[in-house]
Each structure stands twice: as C-alpha cells, then as structure tokens.
Amino acid sequence: MSKVDVLLGLQWGDEGKGKVVDYLAPKYDIVARFQGGPNAGHTLEFDGIKHVLHQIPSGVFHEGILNVIGNGVVLDPIIFQREIEDLDTFNLDLKKHLVISNRAQMIIPTHRMLDQAYELAKGDKKIGSTLRGIGPTYQDKAARKGLRIGDINEPNFLERYNELRDFHLHILERYDFEAKLKDEEEKFFKAIEVVRGFDILNTEYHINQALVDDKKILAEGAQGSLLDIDFGSFPYVTSSNTVAAGACIGLGVAPRNIGEVFGIFKAYCTRVGSGPFPTELFGDEGEELRKLGNEFGATTGRPRRCGWLDMPALKYASMINGVTQLFMMKADVLEGLEQVKVANGYTHDGQSTIELPLYMESENFEVTLNTLRGWGKVQSNNFDELPDGLVEYVKYIESSTNCPINMVSIGPDRTQTIFRN
Ligand code: IMP
C-alpha cells in the first residue's frame, strides 16, 4: 500500500508550486488538487512554452498521469472550459486523463458577484481577494446550500441552480450590486455541457483503490500555508485549508496514508492582496525585488508585495504541515546581492518571541532581522557546487527548521532545478 505525498506552499502562495509539481509529476501515477479553485495560478515553463493552470492539476502535461480535481476544490465551469480550450493546442486527450469529484463545490456566476460586493463593502479592510468567487462558494458549502459538480447530472439541477442564484440575487440587492447575469449565465450553461463531457466520479474511491494498488499519488496544494483559513493571517486569508491536513479532507484520504510533505518556499517572501507582511520591503528596495523576481500575479497580474525571508513564519508553516523536505525556489533572484536579510524573530508587546501572534499587524509587533552574506551567480547544476553564500543560506534555513532542503530552483525552466543527490 502506498501513501499520498503532499506538495504545498509555506508562505503566502506563489512559491512556484506549479514548476515543482511539473518536475515531480513523472514519478507519480496521479496528481490531485485538494482545495482552492481558480484563485490559484500554477505556472509551468518547458520547451520555451509558458502555461498557467488555475483549476486543472499540474500533471496534465505528462503522459499516463491521471489528474484529479478533488472534492475539496471549488470549480468554476466557465474558467474550466477556458482552461480546457487553452490546452487544445497540446493534444493531451484530457477526457482520459482528467476526472472531477462529484463532491467538488461549484462556483456559479453570482458567487463571483458576491465576492465583489463583499470586498467593496469592506472598504479599506478588503482582503484583496482574487474575486473568483472562492469565499462565497466555501461559505455556501459550510451553510449547506452550495451545488456540487455531481448535481449537474441530477434531474432537478436547474431548479436548484435557480434557487441558489435567487438567494444570491437577494443578497446582492441589499448590497446595491447590479447583477448583470444574462451573458454570464449563457456562458455558464455552455460550460456545464463541457464539464458533463468529463468523468465525474466518487474520486475518493479511486484514490483509495490506487493506494491499495501501490500507485503513487501527489496531492498538489494551492495558495500557501500563511493563507490557510485556520492558521493563516486571518482574516486576510483564503477560505480553504491549504495545509497538509487539507489533503485528507479534500481527497478523502486518511491521515495515516500521508507520506512525504514537500514544503515549497521562495528564498524571499511575497504576498498579493492585503494583510500583514512583517518583512515587507517598501520603496526602491521592494521595487527592485519585484522587478528581479518578476513578481506579478499569475491569476490577476497584480504586483506582488516583496520582502525578506521570514524564518519564524517558515518554521511555523513547517510545523503545522509536518514538512519532511524543503524545496527552495527563486534562489537566483537574490544573486548578486552583497547581503541578504532574514527575519529571525519578532518583538511583540516588548517581548522577544518566535511565535506568530494572533495579529501580526498589531502596532506593538516588530520584526528582528539577521544579515547574512549574499551569493554570486549559480554556475553549476550540482548541489555540492553552490556558491558559498548560498550554501550558508541553505544551512541556516535547515538548522532553523530542522528540515533538509533537497531542491534549489534557480530559474523558471524545468532544467533550472538543482536536486540534492
Ligand atoms: P481569495 O481566495 O481569492 O478570496 O483571496 C484571498 C486572499 O488570498 C487574497 O489576499 C489573495 O490575494 C490571496 N490568494 C488567493 N489565491 C492566491 C494564490 O494562488 N496565490 C497567492 N495569493 C492568493
């Protein structure tokens, strides 16, 4: 019997998970998404091609892999159709290699409108949501009102859709939000036909049978641990459990069947949207890092906020996830800096601490930074030949987290990846 390996982000998303899944995928029989939805943007680059996936698992570009959209995902049929069409040129035979859980919740057009109405109403306290309808869809799931993908094949689907839509329209009216639905509904029902063309299954049975058959499964996380609804910087978070435990719920896998947990992090930190970011760099410093790292959102194109690596936050994420291996991304972006800084602790209410407080944005919260030497250009794809400064950086992170860094990424392409051993 095999186990499910989990790959997830340890920061505020955009760590480069798409690249790693794409790299690891050939070692797996199944790649499965377990939470989130079209708020994600997993960028894959290979053979000079750049492709961004939102809801479809990152195993699609490899032959012989079954890609599963698990029950924990919120799926937008319209965006799904667009993604399928965008993949047309690759001749992937997706109907054979992609299945959808009948229990995955469905994003309907009014969910997206509610997202906008709620954000507008929050004013300067807005979350900075991607406005893809994620929050309102998970809200309807918890309220036991939502529609699931399997419902599209039920005889009363239309009736239930209308009921949910009308419920949303009442709320939107109260927010003075003008719901322009005609075009969106047209697109939605066309997209439903596209979804119907795929296998909609009790994917939890498939996944558990695959484990019994000793098949290798990779659960692909979206967003990042610091955006987790329970452990992230609430309320500036997404609406799902992005941490490793989310893979159990979002795929129907027992905790004892989780194997490796690959924790992906960038050599520095970024964040899109609002919320606390203790090591954030402002002005020219922040701008320089943003340019060097090309830090613009894959889903919304928004500029990402940039800052130094935050060790207490990374340790926290490693602990909550039970990370067994760390993968460091974008080490090349810091190349050429004489010095790099790392947060090694916080001061909260005058006390030194390495614990994340309930509110990191509190006035009495400060970060303490450690300065390390930088490194020059990485010349070789051999882990043992990394520049000295980078070796020190790797060792510093390993000793703080008590976890090995087994991969360092030095560029977006598949080939720019350095594995230990
Ligand atoms: P939502 O999940 O779209 O409602 O967004 C909630 C928060 O999570 C916002 O700050 C978003 O910018 C952030 N977020 C959501 N998805 C991603 C992602 O895939 N990468 C980075 N940030 C994300």
Short mmCIF file of all heavy atoms in Angstrom, two decimals, residues 12-14 39-42 115 127-132 134-135 222-223 227 236-239 271-274 299 302, ligand 1:
data_model
loop_
_atom_site.label_atom_id
_atom_site.label_comp_id
_atom_site.label_asym_id
_atom_site.label_seq_id
_atom_site.Cartn_x
_atom_site.Cartn_y
_atom_site.Cartn_z
N TRP A 12 2.83 32.85 1.41
CA TRP A 12 1.52 33.42 1.04
C TRP A 12 1.16 33.08 -0.39
O TRP A 12 0.59 33.91 -1.11
CB TRP A 12 1.54 34.93 1.26
CG TRP A 12 1.42 35.33 2.69
CD1 TRP A 12 0.28 35.28 3.47
CD2 TRP A 12 2.44 35.87 3.54
NE1 TRP A 12 0.56 35.74 4.74
CE2 TRP A 12 1.87 36.11 4.81
CE3 TRP A 12 3.80 36.16 3.35
CZ2 TRP A 12 2.59 36.64 5.87
CZ3 TRP A 12 4.51 36.68 4.41
CH2 TRP A 12 3.92 36.91 5.65
N GLY A 13 1.50 31.90 -0.85
CA GLY A 13 1.20 31.50 -2.22
C GLY A 13 2.28 31.97 -3.17
O GLY A 13 3.24 32.65 -2.76
N ASP A 14 2.15 31.55 -4.43
CA ASP A 14 3.09 31.96 -5.49
C ASP A 14 4.51 31.52 -5.21
O ASP A 14 5.47 32.20 -5.60
CB ASP A 14 3.04 33.49 -5.71
CG ASP A 14 1.63 33.99 -5.90
OD1 ASP A 14 0.90 33.34 -6.67
OD2 ASP A 14 1.25 34.99 -5.27
N ASN A 39 -8.68 30.77 -8.00
CA ASN A 39 -7.81 31.81 -7.41
C ASN A 39 -6.35 31.43 -7.60
O ASN A 39 -5.46 32.27 -7.53
CB ASN A 39 -8.13 32.04 -5.93
CG ASN A 39 -8.25 30.77 -5.12
OD1 ASN A 39 -8.26 29.68 -5.66
ND2 ASN A 39 -8.34 30.91 -3.81
N ALA A 40 -6.08 30.14 -7.82
CA ALA A 40 -4.70 29.67 -7.99
C ALA A 40 -4.21 29.95 -9.41
O ALA A 40 -5.01 30.04 -10.34
CB ALA A 40 -4.64 28.17 -7.72
N GLY A 41 -2.90 30.09 -9.55
CA GLY A 41 -2.31 30.21 -10.88
C GLY A 41 -0.97 29.50 -10.84
O GLY A 41 -0.01 30.03 -10.32
N HIS A 42 -0.95 28.27 -11.31
CA HIS A 42 0.30 27.49 -11.25
C HIS A 42 1.00 27.57 -12.61
O HIS A 42 0.49 27.09 -13.62
CB HIS A 42 0.00 26.03 -10.86
CG HIS A 42 -0.47 25.94 -9.44
ND1 HIS A 42 -0.82 24.76 -8.83
CD2 HIS A 42 -0.63 26.90 -8.49
CE1 HIS A 42 -1.17 25.02 -7.58
NE2 HIS A 42 -1.07 26.31 -7.36
N ASP A 115 -18.58 37.98 -4.23
CA ASP A 115 -17.19 38.25 -3.83
C ASP A 115 -16.90 39.74 -4.01
O ASP A 115 -16.34 40.39 -3.12
CB ASP A 115 -16.24 37.43 -4.73
CG ASP A 115 -15.08 36.82 -3.95
OD1 ASP A 115 -14.96 37.12 -2.76
OD2 ASP A 115 -14.31 36.05 -4.55
N ILE A 127 -9.95 42.22 1.70
CA ILE A 127 -8.98 41.12 1.79
C ILE A 127 -7.97 41.19 0.63
O ILE A 127 -6.87 40.70 0.73
CB ILE A 127 -9.72 39.75 1.69
CG1 ILE A 127 -10.87 39.67 2.70
CG2 ILE A 127 -8.79 38.57 1.83
CD1 ILE A 127 -10.51 39.45 4.12
N GLY A 128 -8.42 41.79 -0.48
CA GLY A 128 -7.58 41.74 -1.68
C GLY A 128 -7.83 40.44 -2.41
O GLY A 128 -6.93 39.87 -3.03
N SER A 129 -9.07 39.96 -2.33
CA SER A 129 -9.45 38.68 -2.96
C SER A 129 -9.20 38.73 -4.47
O SER A 129 -9.22 39.80 -5.08
CB SER A 129 -10.94 38.43 -2.70
OG SER A 129 -11.41 37.42 -3.54
N THR A 130 -9.00 37.54 -5.04
CA THR A 130 -8.87 37.45 -6.49
C THR A 130 -10.24 37.64 -7.17
O THR A 130 -10.31 37.66 -8.40
CB THR A 130 -8.31 36.07 -6.91
OG1 THR A 130 -9.23 35.07 -6.44
CG2 THR A 130 -6.93 35.82 -6.32
N LEU A 131 -11.29 37.72 -6.38
CA LEU A 131 -12.66 37.93 -6.86
C LEU A 131 -13.14 36.80 -7.77
O LEU A 131 -13.96 37.02 -8.66
CB LEU A 131 -12.79 39.28 -7.57
CG LEU A 131 -12.39 40.51 -6.74
CD1 LEU A 131 -12.52 41.79 -7.57
CD2 LEU A 131 -13.25 40.63 -5.49
N ARG A 132 -12.63 35.61 -7.53
CA ARG A 132 -13.06 34.46 -8.33
C ARG A 132 -14.25 33.72 -7.70
O ARG A 132 -14.60 32.63 -8.12
CB ARG A 132 -11.90 33.47 -8.51
CG ARG A 132 -10.70 34.03 -9.28
CD ARG A 132 -11.09 34.36 -10.71
NE ARG A 132 -9.95 34.64 -11.54
CZ ARG A 132 -9.40 35.83 -11.75
NH1 ARG A 132 -9.90 36.90 -11.16
NH2 ARG A 132 -8.37 35.98 -12.55
N ILE A 134 -14.37 32.50 -4.62
CA ILE A 134 -13.91 31.41 -3.75
C ILE A 134 -14.60 31.47 -2.37
O ILE A 134 -15.20 30.48 -1.93
CB ILE A 134 -12.37 31.49 -3.55
CG1 ILE A 134 -11.63 31.59 -4.89
CG2 ILE A 134 -11.86 30.35 -2.68
CD1 ILE A 134 -11.76 30.43 -5.81
N GLY A 135 -14.51 32.64 -1.73
CA GLY A 135 -15.08 32.78 -0.38
C GLY A 135 -16.57 32.47 -0.36
O GLY A 135 -17.02 31.61 0.42
N ALA A 222 -2.68 24.45 -3.28
CA ALA A 222 -2.75 25.76 -3.91
C ALA A 222 -2.68 26.82 -2.81
O ALA A 222 -2.86 26.52 -1.64
CB ALA A 222 -4.06 25.89 -4.68
N GLN A 223 -2.42 28.07 -3.20
CA GLN A 223 -2.17 29.16 -2.27
C GLN A 223 -0.99 28.77 -1.35
O GLN A 223 -0.11 28.07 -1.80
CB GLN A 223 -3.43 29.53 -1.45
CG GLN A 223 -4.52 30.20 -2.27
CD GLN A 223 -5.37 29.22 -3.05
OE1 GLN A 223 -5.85 28.25 -2.50
NE2 GLN A 223 -5.56 29.46 -4.31
N LEU A 227 -1.91 31.52 4.14
CA LEU A 227 -3.25 31.93 3.68
C LEU A 227 -4.30 30.93 4.13
O LEU A 227 -5.47 31.02 3.74
CB LEU A 227 -3.28 32.05 2.15
CG LEU A 227 -2.54 33.23 1.52
CD1 LEU A 227 -2.48 33.08 0.00
CD2 LEU A 227 -3.20 34.55 1.89
N TYR A 236 -7.11 37.93 6.67
CA TYR A 236 -6.53 38.11 5.32
C TYR A 236 -6.03 36.78 4.79
O TYR A 236 -4.81 36.57 4.68
CB TYR A 236 -5.44 39.18 5.38
CG TYR A 236 -5.97 40.50 5.86
CD1 TYR A 236 -5.78 40.90 7.18
CD2 TYR A 236 -6.70 41.32 5.01
CE1 TYR A 236 -6.31 42.11 7.63
CE2 TYR A 236 -7.23 42.52 5.45
CZ TYR A 236 -7.03 42.91 6.76
OH TYR A 236 -7.56 44.10 7.20
N VAL A 237 -6.93 35.91 4.52
CA VAL A 237 -6.61 34.54 4.12
C VAL A 237 -7.56 34.10 3.01
O VAL A 237 -8.50 34.83 2.68
CB VAL A 237 -6.77 33.58 5.33
CG1 VAL A 237 -5.72 33.85 6.39
CG2 VAL A 237 -8.17 33.67 5.93
N THR A 238 -7.33 32.93 2.49
CA THR A 238 -8.31 32.37 1.57
C THR A 238 -9.30 31.54 2.40
O THR A 238 -9.21 31.50 3.63
CB THR A 238 -7.63 31.57 0.44
OG1 THR A 238 -8.62 31.26 -0.55
CG2 THR A 238 -6.95 30.30 0.92
N SER A 239 -10.23 30.84 1.75
CA SER A 239 -11.32 30.24 2.52
C SER A 239 -11.19 28.72 2.65
O SER A 239 -12.16 28.06 2.99
CB SER A 239 -12.65 30.59 1.86
OG SER A 239 -12.76 31.98 1.78
N ARG A 271 3.68 38.56 -1.20
CA ARG A 271 2.27 38.47 -0.82
C ARG A 271 1.46 39.29 -1.81
O ARG A 271 1.87 40.41 -2.17
CB ARG A 271 2.12 38.99 0.61
CG ARG A 271 0.72 39.11 1.07
CD ARG A 271 0.51 39.20 2.56
NE ARG A 271 -0.82 38.68 2.75
CZ ARG A 271 -1.39 38.35 3.87
NH1 ARG A 271 -0.73 38.48 4.99
NH2 ARG A 271 -2.61 37.87 3.91
N VAL A 272 0.32 38.76 -2.25
CA VAL A 272 -0.62 39.55 -3.07
C VAL A 272 -1.83 39.83 -2.21
O VAL A 272 -2.23 38.99 -1.43
CB VAL A 272 -1.17 38.80 -4.31
CG1 VAL A 272 -1.36 39.73 -5.48
CG2 VAL A 272 -0.36 37.61 -4.67
N GLY A 273 -2.42 40.99 -2.38
CA GLY A 273 -3.60 41.31 -1.59
C GLY A 273 -3.19 41.93 -0.27
O GLY A 273 -2.02 42.18 -0.01
N SER A 274 -4.20 42.15 0.59
CA SER A 274 -3.93 42.86 1.84
C SER A 274 -3.45 41.89 2.92
O SER A 274 -3.37 40.70 2.70
CB SER A 274 -5.21 43.54 2.33
OG SER A 274 -6.06 43.86 1.27
N THR A 299 -2.58 35.00 -11.75
CA THR A 299 -4.03 34.96 -11.96
C THR A 299 -4.58 36.35 -12.25
O THR A 299 -5.40 36.54 -13.13
CB THR A 299 -4.73 34.37 -10.72
OG1 THR A 299 -4.22 33.05 -10.53
CG2 THR A 299 -6.23 34.29 -10.87
N ARG A 302 -1.65 41.30 -10.64
CA ARG A 302 -1.36 42.35 -9.65
C ARG A 302 0.11 42.29 -9.22
O ARG A 302 0.68 41.20 -9.08
CB ARG A 302 -2.21 42.15 -8.40
CG ARG A 302 -3.67 42.44 -8.60
CD ARG A 302 -4.46 42.24 -7.32
NE ARG A 302 -4.54 40.83 -6.94
CZ ARG A 302 -5.14 40.40 -5.83
NH1 ARG A 302 -5.66 41.25 -4.98
NH2 ARG A 302 -5.20 39.11 -5.58
P1 IMP B 1 -9.40 34.62 -2.49
O1 IMP B 1 -9.04 33.24 -2.12
O2 IMP B 1 -9.41 34.87 -3.96
O3 IMP B 1 -10.65 35.13 -1.83
O4 IMP B 1 -8.24 35.60 -1.93
C1 IMP B 1 -7.95 35.70 -0.54
C2 IMP B 1 -6.51 36.13 -0.36
O5 IMP B 1 -5.65 35.09 -0.79
C3 IMP B 1 -6.10 37.36 -1.16
O6 IMP B 1 -5.13 38.08 -0.42
C4 IMP B 1 -5.47 36.78 -2.40
O7 IMP B 1 -4.55 37.65 -2.99
C5 IMP B 1 -4.79 35.55 -1.83
N1 IMP B 1 -4.67 34.46 -2.79
C6 IMP B 1 -5.64 33.64 -3.23
N2 IMP B 1 -5.16 32.75 -4.09
C7 IMP B 1 -3.85 33.01 -4.20
C8 IMP B 1 -2.80 32.39 -4.93
O8 IMP B 1 -2.96 31.39 -5.64
N3 IMP B 1 -1.56 32.94 -4.78
C9 IMP B 1 -1.34 33.99 -3.96
N4 IMP B 1 -2.29 34.59 -3.24
C10 IMP B 1 -3.54 34.10 -3.37
#
